[in-house]
Amino acid sequence: MTGSADFDIVVVGGGPAGATAANDLAVQGHRVLLLDKAGRIKPCGGAIPPRLIRDFDIPQSLLCAHAKAARMIAPSGKTVDMPIDGGYVGMVNRDTFDEFLRERAAASGAVRQTGEFERLENNPGQPSVVHFSDETGQARSVTARYIIGADGARSKVGKQTIKGAEKIPCVFAYHEIIAVPETAPEDFDPVRCDVYYQGHLSPDFYAWVFPHGGTASIGVGSAQKGFSLRGAIKDLRAATGLDHCDTVRTEGAPIPLKPLKRWDNGHNVVLAGDAAGVVAPSSGEGIYYAMVCGREAASAVREALATGQASALKLARKRFMKAHGKVFWVLGIMQHFWYRNDKRRERFVQICADPDVQYLTWQAYMNKELVRARPAAHARIFLKDMGHLLGLSPS
């Protein structure tokens, strides 16, 4: 590539994936522009595991709550408590959490620019031109050697540059942030995440009530067209006694549940985060995987810059899937089988009462890897799982 560029890399999107990529590259001394829309907050339960806190140096001051347990609610109303033995789930507010990540990238040397990506113009042998509109709506452009598209599930960067990116399957999520009164309803626990596996609240996913200190996230996801997400939240708030709480804000967005088969265009673009489809099936967890993906995208771009070989961009997906592909596969199977109908959801919640399931679930969540240290537990879970699936286990 000949000719000078304004930036080595333009990162489009300032969520966890984009901000992490921008920070990692800026720390390495690269010229980075972080282009992000103003005022957008993604609907999200806001749960992060201890490993994320360790790996990405997240200060405890960003945690608005420490969840010490989860409660699974079956279609019948039966509940299963899953306490976390010796650990916790960190809860964050996405407005302050994402802004912290963007500010950290800026402190490392990245240039922040508020604006919306419009299109990418590629010229043979020359740096690419990134066209965007700034916060005033004025058309602007900069040149860059590489572009990281971290602009969400309906990524403009992906649609314009990578074949198949526009076909990414999604669950549509909606949540309402409410102010929790000093005297909260008896059923609400400020250190517990409640997950509802009930078909009337979500026919193919789940609904949730997650504590956030002085607020709470009440949300739902579904891929079924025509299903009323707002109606489900209205019903959930009424059922939990949270219908009279003040609503702070509402948000909705598509959430991808399957990694794209290709993340790069073989030339100068690589995707990260929701744009690459790295939200875990079954659980819908995205923050940790987005940040890992952003880090892998940054690493791949760094190698491409150092070697001049655009083929290095493929390393982002290769490395991510090597580390996490098996987990995504297992969770995808779980969602496919257990979220189909209320009969299966009832059995799924029943399985969650098993001590082996609880131990392995929390260990895998907190450490982000499949637990291999207890093969006997895995064998017992497999046999119980098949028994539930085939209807051989008692209800």
Side-chain angles (χ1 to χ4, degrees):
M1 181 182 295
T2 60
S4 61
D6 298 322
F7 295 94
D8 296 321
I9 309 101
V10 169
V11 179
V12 181
T20 298
N23 182 68
D24 283 7
L25 288 162
V27 165
Q28 294 292 323
H30 296 292
R31 297 171 300 150
V32 182
L33 177 71
L34 179 57
L35 176 65
D36 188 55
K37 293 180 182 179
R40 182 183 181 278
I41 306 171
K42 179 185 173 183
C44 177
I48 62 173
R51 180 167 178 179
L52 182 153
I53 296 169
R54 296 193 305 268
D55 289 358
F56 296 94
D57 195 22
I58 301 301
Q60 284 287 322
S61 60
L62 278 179
L63 304 185
C64 57
H66 292 72
K68 301 296 181 64
R71 183 176 68 164
M72 325 299 270
I73 299 95
S76 65
K78 292 181 180 178
T79 63
V80 169
D81 288 325
M82 297 180 65
I84 307 173
D85 185 16
Y88 66 92
V89 176
M91 308 304 297
V92 297
N93 290 317
R94 287 294 299 271
D95 52 352
T96 54
F97 182 76
D98 290 15
E99 181 60 17
F100 165 81
L101 297 177
R102 290 188 288 266
E103 280 296 308
R104 182 161 67 179
S108 297
V111 176
R112 290 187 62 176
Q113 171 65 58
T114 300
E116 183 171 358
F117 172 84
E118 297 296 343
R119 62 187 177 89
L120 184 64
E121 179 185 342
N122 289 320
N123 300 303
Q126 297 292 324
S128 297
V129 183
V130 179
H131 295 272
F132 65 95
S133 55
D134 65 18
E135 60 268 38
T136 69
Q138 181 177 351
R140 295 183 57 187
S141 64
V142 295
T143 56
R145 297 180 65 187
Y146 290 96
I147 295 89
I148 295 177
D151 51 334
R154 294 290 186 253
S155 168
K156 281 188 177 181
V157 176
K159 288 179 181 179
Q160 291 182 25
T161 61
I162 298 174
K163 185 178 180 180
E166 74 284 355
K167 298 178 181 178
I168 191 168
C170 292
V171 161
F172 290 87
Y174 170 76
H175 80 160
E176 297 179 357
I177 298 293
I178 65 164
V180 177
E182 291 186 8
T183 305
E186 184 178 349
D187 200 44
F188 177 79
D189 190 331
V191 294
R192 185 188 67 211
C193 294
D194 289 348
V195 187
Y196 291 79
Y197 295 99
Q198 299 180 337
H200 71 281
L201 293 176
S202 174
D204 53 353
F205 204 57
Y206 64 80
W208 69 83
V209 178
F210 286 0
H212 280 225
T215 63
S217 166
I218 306 178
V220 65
S222 177
Q224 188 175 108
K225 292 184 178 179
F227 180 76
S228 175
L229 301 178
R230 291 176 183 271
I233 295 303
K234 181 179 179 180
D235 292 343
L236 180 54
R237 289 183 64 168
T240 54
L242 298 170
D243 50 337
H244 299 301
C245 297
D246 292 336
T247 301
V248 178
R249 66 176 188 271
T250 64
E251 291 131 10
I255 309 296
L257 291 181
K258 187 175 182 180
L260 288 174
K261 293 182 178 180
R262 181 163 186 169
W263 295 359
D264 72 285
N265 67 347
H267 174 50
N268 63 346
V269 174
V270 63
L271 302 180
D274 281 11
V278 294
V279 176
S282 181
S283 68
E285 182 189 1
I287 300 176
Y288 171 77
Y289 294 112
M291 294 178 73
V292 170
C293 186
R295 177 153 287 174
E296 293 293 2
S299 178
V301 167
R302 189 162 56 244
E303 292 191 38
L305 284 165
T307 63
Q309 300 296 318
S311 58
L313 298 178
K314 289 181 173 24
L315 294 173
R317 188 183 191 280
K318 182 178 180 180
R319 290 168 176 166
F320 181 93
M321 295 306 291
K322 181 179 180 180
H324 303 287
K326 187 175 292 185
V327 172
F328 275 51
W329 179 73
V330 170
L331 292 176
I333 290 175
M334 285 179 55
Q335 181 174 336
H336 176 74
F337 278 109
W338 295 117
Y339 292 7
R340 280 190 171 188
N341 54 55
D342 273 354
K343 183 178 180 180
R344 290 194 179 183
R345 280 186 277 265
E346 191 75 32
R347 292 187 177 277
F348 175 71
V349 173
Q350 186 179 346
I351 290 173
C352 292
D354 186 275
D356 290 327
V357 170
Q358 294 193 12
Y359 172 81
L360 294 178
T361 295
W362 286 127
Q363 290 301 312
Y365 173 80
M366 291 189 291
N367 298 304
K368 289 300 161 216
E369 56 188 21
L370 295 177
V371 182
R372 298 179 176 86
R374 292 175 59 173
H378 283 286
R380 290 194 297 270
I381 288 172
F382 174 77
L383 294 174
K384 295 171 187 175
D385 196 61
M386 291 304 297
H388 279 282
L389 181 61
L390 298 173
L392 302 177
S393 297
S395 300

